[in-house]
Amino acid sequence: MLRRIGVLVAGTVTAGLLSVFPALADEPAAAGAPVPLGSVTATGDDQLFALAADHSAVYRYNGQGTDWTKVGGPAETLHAGGAGLFATARDTGKVFKYDGTPEAWSQVGEPGADFAVTDDRLYALNPDRTAVYEWSGQGTQWAKVGGPAKDLDAGGAGLFATALDDKIFKYDGTPEAWSQVGEPGADFAVTDDRLYGIAADHTAVFEWTGQGAQWAKVGGPAQDLYAGGAGLFATDRTTGQLNKYDGQPDSWTKTGEPGAGFTVSDTHLYGLSPNRTTVLQWTGTGNDCPPSARPRPPRPRHPRHRRLLPRPRRLSRRRARRSHPRARNPSPPRPGRSTADRGRPGPDRPR
Protein backbone atom coordinates (compact mmCIF):
# COMPACT_ATOMS: atom_id res chain seq x y z
CA MET A 1 0.00 0.00 0.00
CA LEU A 2 1.15 3.53 -0.73
CA ARG A 3 0.43 6.29 1.70
CA ARG A 4 0.62 9.96 0.93
CA ILE A 5 3.39 11.69 2.80
CA GLY A 6 3.54 14.98 0.99
CA VAL A 7 1.57 17.47 -1.07
CA LEU A 8 3.63 20.41 -2.26
CA VAL A 9 1.45 23.41 -1.56
CA ALA A 10 2.38 27.02 -1.01
CA GLY A 11 2.17 27.82 2.64
CA THR A 12 2.19 25.82 5.84
CA VAL A 13 -0.05 22.81 5.38
CA THR A 14 -1.51 20.54 8.00
CA ALA A 15 -3.05 17.82 5.84
CA GLY A 16 -1.87 14.50 4.47
CA LEU A 17 -1.29 11.16 6.11
CA LEU A 18 2.28 11.86 7.01
CA SER A 19 3.57 15.14 5.67
CA VAL A 20 3.11 18.07 3.36
CA PHE A 21 5.73 20.18 1.65
CA PRO A 22 6.30 23.82 2.56
CA ALA A 23 6.26 26.58 0.01
CA LEU A 24 9.25 27.26 -2.20
CA ALA A 25 11.85 29.69 -0.98
CA ASP A 26 12.09 33.42 -1.53
CA GLU A 27 8.85 34.32 -3.31
CA PRO A 28 5.72 32.57 -1.98
CA ALA A 29 3.16 31.45 -4.55
CA ALA A 30 -0.55 32.21 -4.39
CA ALA A 31 -2.18 30.79 -1.27
CA GLY A 32 -3.02 27.13 -1.71
CA ALA A 33 -1.49 26.83 -5.17
CA PRO A 34 0.24 23.46 -5.66
CA VAL A 35 3.94 23.85 -6.34
CA PRO A 36 5.52 21.00 -8.35
CA LEU A 37 8.65 19.10 -7.40
CA GLY A 38 11.47 18.25 -9.72
CA SER A 39 12.65 15.17 -7.83
CA VAL A 40 12.87 13.37 -4.51
CA THR A 41 15.88 11.48 -3.22
CA ALA A 42 16.80 9.62 -0.04
CA THR A 43 20.06 8.98 1.75
CA GLY A 44 21.04 5.56 3.06
CA ASP A 45 19.89 6.42 6.58
CA ASP A 46 16.41 7.24 5.25
CA GLN A 47 16.55 11.02 5.21
CA LEU A 48 14.19 12.22 2.48
CA PHE A 49 14.98 15.33 0.41
CA ALA A 50 13.12 17.13 -2.36
CA LEU A 51 14.19 19.56 -5.07
CA ALA A 52 11.69 22.16 -6.25
CA ALA A 53 10.75 21.86 -9.93
CA ASP A 54 12.06 25.36 -10.58
CA HIS A 55 15.29 24.37 -8.77
CA SER A 56 14.88 27.24 -6.33
CA ALA A 57 15.14 25.27 -3.07
CA VAL A 58 16.05 21.98 -1.41
CA TYR A 59 13.83 20.59 1.37
CA ARG A 60 14.29 17.88 4.01
CA TYR A 61 11.46 15.91 5.55
CA ASN A 62 11.73 15.97 9.33
CA GLY A 63 10.18 12.56 9.84
CA GLN A 64 6.72 13.28 11.18
CA GLY A 65 3.55 15.23 10.66
CA THR A 66 3.76 18.08 8.18
CA ASP A 67 7.22 19.12 9.24
CA TRP A 68 9.58 19.96 6.36
CA THR A 69 12.56 22.28 6.43
CA LYS A 70 14.19 24.27 3.67
CA VAL A 71 17.86 23.32 3.85
CA GLY A 72 19.35 24.90 0.74
CA GLY A 73 18.97 27.43 -2.01
CA PRO A 74 19.04 26.96 -5.80
CA ALA A 75 20.44 23.64 -7.01
CA GLU A 76 20.53 21.84 -10.35
CA THR A 77 20.62 18.20 -9.24
CA LEU A 78 20.63 16.14 -6.04
CA HIS A 79 22.68 12.99 -5.45
CA ALA A 80 22.23 10.88 -2.32
CA GLY A 81 23.41 7.64 -0.77
CA GLY A 82 25.05 6.24 2.31
CA ALA A 83 27.73 8.94 2.16
CA GLY A 84 25.13 11.72 2.42
CA LEU A 85 23.43 14.33 0.25
CA PHE A 86 25.21 16.27 -2.49
CA ALA A 87 23.92 19.02 -4.78
CA THR A 88 25.27 20.70 -7.88
CA ALA A 89 25.14 24.48 -8.21
CA ARG A 90 22.92 25.99 -10.88
CA ASP A 91 25.35 28.50 -12.37
CA THR A 92 28.74 26.92 -11.86
CA GLY A 93 28.01 23.20 -11.70
CA LYS A 94 30.22 22.90 -8.61
CA VAL A 95 29.24 20.17 -6.17
CA PHE A 96 28.39 20.76 -2.51
CA LYS A 97 27.77 18.44 0.45
CA TYR A 98 24.95 19.04 2.89
CA ASP A 99 26.46 19.39 6.35
CA GLY A 100 23.30 18.41 8.22
CA THR A 101 22.16 21.90 9.23
CA PRO A 102 19.78 24.06 7.16
CA GLU A 103 21.66 26.35 4.75
CA ALA A 104 25.01 24.76 5.72
CA TRP A 105 26.79 23.30 2.70
CA SER A 106 30.46 22.78 1.90
CA GLN A 107 31.94 22.81 -1.56
CA VAL A 108 33.66 19.50 -2.26
CA GLY A 109 34.38 19.71 -5.98
CA GLU A 110 34.22 21.34 -9.37
CA PRO A 111 31.71 20.61 -12.18
CA GLY A 112 31.21 17.06 -13.40
CA ALA A 113 29.21 15.25 -16.08
CA ASP A 114 27.84 12.74 -13.56
CA PHE A 115 28.03 11.95 -9.85
CA ALA A 116 27.30 8.74 -7.90
CA VAL A 117 27.20 7.99 -4.17
CA THR A 118 28.11 4.71 -2.49
CA ASP A 119 27.84 3.84 1.20
CA ASP A 120 30.95 5.85 2.01
CA ARG A 121 32.20 7.62 -1.11
CA LEU A 122 31.30 10.21 -3.73
CA TYR A 123 32.46 9.62 -7.31
CA ALA A 124 32.37 11.85 -10.37
CA LEU A 125 32.96 11.95 -14.10
CA ASN A 126 34.82 15.03 -15.26
CA PRO A 127 32.86 17.27 -17.69
CA ASP A 128 34.33 15.79 -20.88
CA ARG A 129 33.86 12.24 -19.52
CA THR A 130 37.51 11.31 -19.92
CA ALA A 131 38.11 10.25 -16.31
CA VAL A 132 36.45 9.00 -13.11
CA TYR A 133 37.40 10.60 -9.79
CA GLU A 134 36.88 9.70 -6.13
CA TRP A 135 36.40 12.35 -3.47
CA SER A 136 38.82 11.92 -0.60
CA GLY A 137 36.23 13.02 1.95
CA GLN A 138 38.33 16.06 2.82
CA GLY A 139 37.92 19.55 1.37
CA THR A 140 38.03 19.52 -2.42
CA GLN A 141 40.62 16.80 -2.81
CA TRP A 142 39.97 14.17 -5.46
CA ALA A 143 41.93 11.25 -6.87
CA LYS A 144 41.65 9.85 -10.39
CA VAL A 145 40.53 6.21 -10.29
CA GLY A 146 39.47 5.48 -13.89
CA GLY A 147 39.45 6.55 -17.51
CA PRO A 148 36.67 7.48 -19.99
CA ALA A 149 33.07 6.59 -19.14
CA LYS A 150 29.52 7.57 -20.08
CA ASP A 151 27.63 7.12 -16.81
CA LEU A 152 28.08 6.10 -13.19
CA ASP A 153 25.84 3.92 -10.99
CA ALA A 154 26.51 3.29 -7.32
CA GLY A 155 25.10 1.88 -4.11
CA GLY A 156 25.96 -0.46 -1.29
CA ALA A 157 27.36 -3.01 -3.73
CA GLY A 158 29.92 -0.51 -5.00
CA LEU A 159 30.65 1.70 -8.00
CA PHE A 160 29.85 0.72 -11.59
CA ALA A 161 30.36 2.63 -14.81
CA THR A 162 29.34 2.25 -18.43
CA ALA A 163 32.25 2.50 -20.85
CA LEU A 164 32.22 4.40 -24.13
CA ASP A 165 31.18 1.15 -25.85
CA ASP A 166 28.31 0.79 -23.30
CA LYS A 167 29.75 -2.25 -21.54
CA ILE A 168 29.60 -2.07 -17.77
CA PHE A 169 32.54 -2.30 -15.39
CA LYS A 170 32.93 -2.51 -11.61
CA TYR A 171 35.51 -0.49 -9.71
CA ASP A 172 37.76 -2.89 -7.80
CA GLY A 173 38.77 -0.36 -5.17
CA THR A 174 42.24 0.45 -6.50
CA PRO A 175 42.91 3.36 -8.91
CA GLU A 176 42.68 2.27 -12.56
CA ALA A 177 41.56 -1.26 -11.54
CA TRP A 178 38.20 -2.12 -13.12
CA SER A 179 36.61 -5.43 -14.13
CA GLN A 180 34.09 -5.87 -16.91
CA VAL A 181 30.92 -7.39 -15.51
CA GLY A 182 28.46 -7.08 -18.38
CA GLU A 183 27.44 -6.04 -21.86
CA PRO A 184 25.41 -2.94 -22.84
CA GLY A 185 22.10 -2.33 -21.08
CA ALA A 186 19.26 0.20 -21.13
CA ASP A 187 19.48 0.92 -17.41
CA PHE A 188 21.33 -0.27 -14.32
CA ALA A 189 20.57 -0.08 -10.59
CA VAL A 190 22.53 -1.02 -7.47
CA THR A 191 21.15 -2.44 -4.22
CA ASP A 192 23.07 -3.11 -1.02
CA ASP A 193 24.60 -6.26 -2.48
CA ARG A 194 23.56 -6.64 -6.12
CA LEU A 195 23.77 -5.03 -9.55
CA TYR A 196 20.78 -5.26 -11.86
CA GLY A 197 20.35 -4.30 -15.50
CA ILE A 198 17.69 -4.01 -18.18
CA ALA A 199 18.48 -5.52 -21.57
CA ALA A 200 19.28 -2.93 -24.22
CA ASP A 201 15.93 -3.62 -25.93
CA HIS A 202 14.05 -3.43 -22.58
CA THR A 203 12.81 -7.03 -22.94
CA ALA A 204 14.17 -8.42 -19.66
CA VAL A 205 15.70 -7.63 -16.27
CA PHE A 206 18.95 -9.36 -15.28
CA GLU A 207 20.88 -9.81 -12.03
CA TRP A 208 24.65 -9.94 -11.98
CA THR A 209 25.86 -13.07 -10.20
CA GLY A 210 28.87 -11.31 -8.75
CA GLN A 211 31.24 -13.47 -10.77
CA GLY A 212 32.86 -12.39 -14.03
CA ALA A 213 30.29 -11.33 -16.61
CA GLN A 214 27.66 -13.88 -15.61
CA TRP A 215 24.07 -12.71 -15.37
CA ALA A 216 20.73 -14.42 -14.62
CA LYS A 217 17.36 -13.34 -15.99
CA VAL A 218 15.01 -12.38 -13.15
CA GLY A 219 12.23 -10.47 -14.90
CA GLY A 220 10.51 -9.54 -18.13
CA PRO A 221 10.15 -6.21 -19.96
CA ALA A 222 10.81 -3.07 -17.91
CA GLN A 223 11.34 0.62 -18.52
CA ASP A 224 13.36 1.86 -15.52
CA LEU A 225 14.99 0.42 -12.41
CA TYR A 226 15.15 1.90 -8.90
CA ALA A 227 17.18 0.26 -6.14
CA GLY A 228 18.56 0.64 -2.65
CA GLY A 229 18.68 -1.13 0.66
CA ALA A 230 14.90 -1.66 0.52
CA GLY A 231 15.24 -3.71 -2.65
CA LEU A 232 14.81 -3.58 -6.42
CA PHE A 233 11.85 -1.96 -8.16
CA ALA A 234 11.01 -1.70 -11.87
CA THR A 235 8.43 0.22 -13.88
CA ASP A 236 6.32 -1.63 -16.42
CA ARG A 237 7.18 -0.51 -19.94
CA THR A 238 3.55 -0.42 -21.07
CA THR A 239 1.53 0.69 -18.05
CA GLY A 240 4.17 2.48 -15.99
CA GLN A 241 3.09 0.65 -12.83
CA LEU A 242 5.78 -0.09 -10.25
CA ASN A 243 6.74 -3.65 -9.29
CA LYS A 244 9.06 -5.02 -6.59
CA TYR A 245 11.39 -7.94 -7.17
CA ASP A 246 10.63 -10.67 -4.63
CA GLY A 247 14.07 -12.27 -4.76
CA GLN A 248 13.15 -15.20 -7.01
CA PRO A 249 13.45 -15.19 -10.84
CA ASP A 250 10.31 -13.84 -12.51
CA SER A 251 8.63 -13.23 -9.14
CA TRP A 252 7.49 -9.61 -8.87
CA THR A 253 4.76 -7.88 -6.84
CA LYS A 254 2.91 -4.75 -7.86
CA THR A 255 3.62 -1.94 -5.40
CA GLY A 256 2.12 1.13 -7.03
CA GLU A 257 0.77 3.05 -9.99
CA PRO A 258 2.82 5.19 -12.42
CA GLY A 259 4.75 8.10 -10.95
CA ALA A 260 6.97 10.96 -12.05
CA GLY A 261 9.88 9.41 -10.18
CA PHE A 262 10.88 7.11 -7.34
CA THR A 263 13.71 6.85 -4.82
CA VAL A 264 14.78 3.99 -2.55
CA SER A 265 16.45 4.32 0.85
CA ASP A 266 17.77 1.56 3.09
CA THR A 267 14.29 0.93 4.45
CA HIS A 268 11.68 2.70 2.31
CA LEU A 269 10.42 3.34 -1.20
CA TYR A 270 9.16 6.84 -2.01
CA GLY A 271 7.29 8.01 -5.09
CA LEU A 272 6.43 11.32 -6.72
CA SER A 273 2.94 11.58 -8.22
CA PRO A 274 2.56 12.17 -11.97
CA ASN A 275 1.58 15.81 -11.40
CA ARG A 276 4.60 16.23 -9.11
CA THR A 277 2.62 17.68 -6.20
CA THR A 278 2.31 14.59 -4.00
CA VAL A 279 4.95 12.40 -2.35
CA LEU A 280 4.03 8.87 -1.28
CA GLN A 281 5.71 6.25 0.86
CA TRP A 282 5.12 2.56 0.22
CA THR A 283 3.98 0.83 3.40
CA GLY A 284 5.51 -2.47 2.35
CA THR A 285 2.26 -4.23 1.46
CA GLY A 286 -0.30 -3.98 -1.32
CA ASN A 287 -0.45 -1.23 -3.90
CA ASP A 288 -3.45 0.97 -3.15
CA CYS A 289 -2.93 4.70 -2.91
CA PRO A 290 -5.48 6.61 -0.83
CA PRO A 291 -7.14 9.53 -2.62
CA SER A 292 -5.53 12.87 -1.97
CA ALA A 293 -7.11 16.26 -1.51
CA ARG A 294 -5.24 19.50 -1.92
CA PRO A 295 -5.54 21.63 1.19
CA ARG A 296 -5.72 25.37 0.61
CA PRO A 297 -4.34 27.11 3.70
CA PRO A 298 -3.83 30.84 4.07
CA ARG A 299 -0.49 32.08 2.85
CA PRO A 300 2.08 32.76 5.57
CA ARG A 301 4.92 35.20 5.41
CA HIS A 302 8.15 33.73 4.15
CA PRO A 303 11.57 34.96 5.18
CA ARG A 304 14.07 35.41 2.39
CA HIS A 305 17.00 33.04 2.50
CA ARG A 306 20.58 33.37 1.43
CA ARG A 307 21.08 31.52 -1.84
CA LEU A 308 23.42 28.64 -1.27
CA LEU A 309 23.94 27.30 -4.77
CA PRO A 310 24.28 29.38 -7.92
CA ARG A 311 22.34 29.13 -11.61
CA PRO A 312 23.17 26.87 -14.68
CA ARG A 313 24.94 27.80 -17.79
CA ARG A 314 24.03 24.75 -19.75
CA LEU A 315 23.19 21.11 -19.15
CA SER A 316 24.76 17.99 -20.56
CA ARG A 317 22.49 15.34 -22.07
CA ARG A 318 21.86 12.36 -19.84
CA ARG A 319 19.40 9.53 -19.53
CA ALA A 320 15.75 10.49 -19.90
CA ARG A 321 15.20 10.44 -16.20
CA ARG A 322 18.25 12.47 -15.18
CA SER A 323 20.23 15.47 -16.27
CA HIS A 324 23.53 16.85 -15.16
CA PRO A 325 25.38 20.14 -15.49
CA ARG A 326 28.23 20.68 -17.90
CA ALA A 327 31.03 23.14 -17.25
CA ARG A 328 32.19 25.81 -19.65
CA ASN A 329 35.77 24.75 -19.09
CA PRO A 330 36.25 21.00 -18.84
CA SER A 331 37.68 20.44 -15.39
CA PRO A 332 36.96 17.50 -13.08
CA PRO A 333 35.69 17.79 -9.53
CA ARG A 334 38.82 19.47 -8.28
CA PRO A 335 41.81 17.63 -9.79
CA GLY A 336 43.05 18.46 -13.24
CA ARG A 337 41.66 16.89 -16.38
CA SER A 338 42.67 13.43 -17.46
CA THR A 339 43.73 12.63 -21.00
CA ALA A 340 43.78 9.09 -22.27
CA ASP A 341 43.63 6.25 -19.77
CA ARG A 342 41.08 3.76 -20.87
CA GLY A 343 41.44 1.87 -17.59
CA ARG A 344 37.76 2.57 -17.79
CA PRO A 345 35.06 0.70 -16.75
CA GLY A 346 32.38 -0.42 -18.39
CA PRO A 347 23.30 -6.11 -20.41
CA ASP A 348 22.08 -5.98 -25.78
CA ARG A 349 21.63 -8.08 -22.64
CA PRO A 350 23.76 -8.78 -19.54
CA ARG A 351 25.20 -12.22 -19.44
Side-chain angles (χ1 to χ4, degrees), residues 151 153 162 166 183-189 196-204 206 222-225 237 318-322 347-350:
D151 300 307
D153 290 282
T162 49
D166 292 323
E183 299 297 320
D187 193 17
F188 296 97
Y196 294 88
I198 299 178
D201 59 3
H202 289 269
T203 57
F206 289 82
Q223 184 62 35
D224 296 304
L225 297 179
R237 200 176 186 198
R318 180 83 168 102
R319 295 181 191 169
R321 62 197 181 94
R322 295 187 289 182
D348 275 306
R349 165 171 317 204

Side-chain angles (χ1 to χ4, degrees), residues 58 75 77-79 85-89 94-98 105 309:
V58 178
T77 59
L78 299 181
H79 306 269
L85 175 71
F86 301 84
T88 55
K94 294 180 179 180
V95 61
F96 292 76
K97 185 180 190 297
Y98 177 52
W105 297 73
L309 305 174

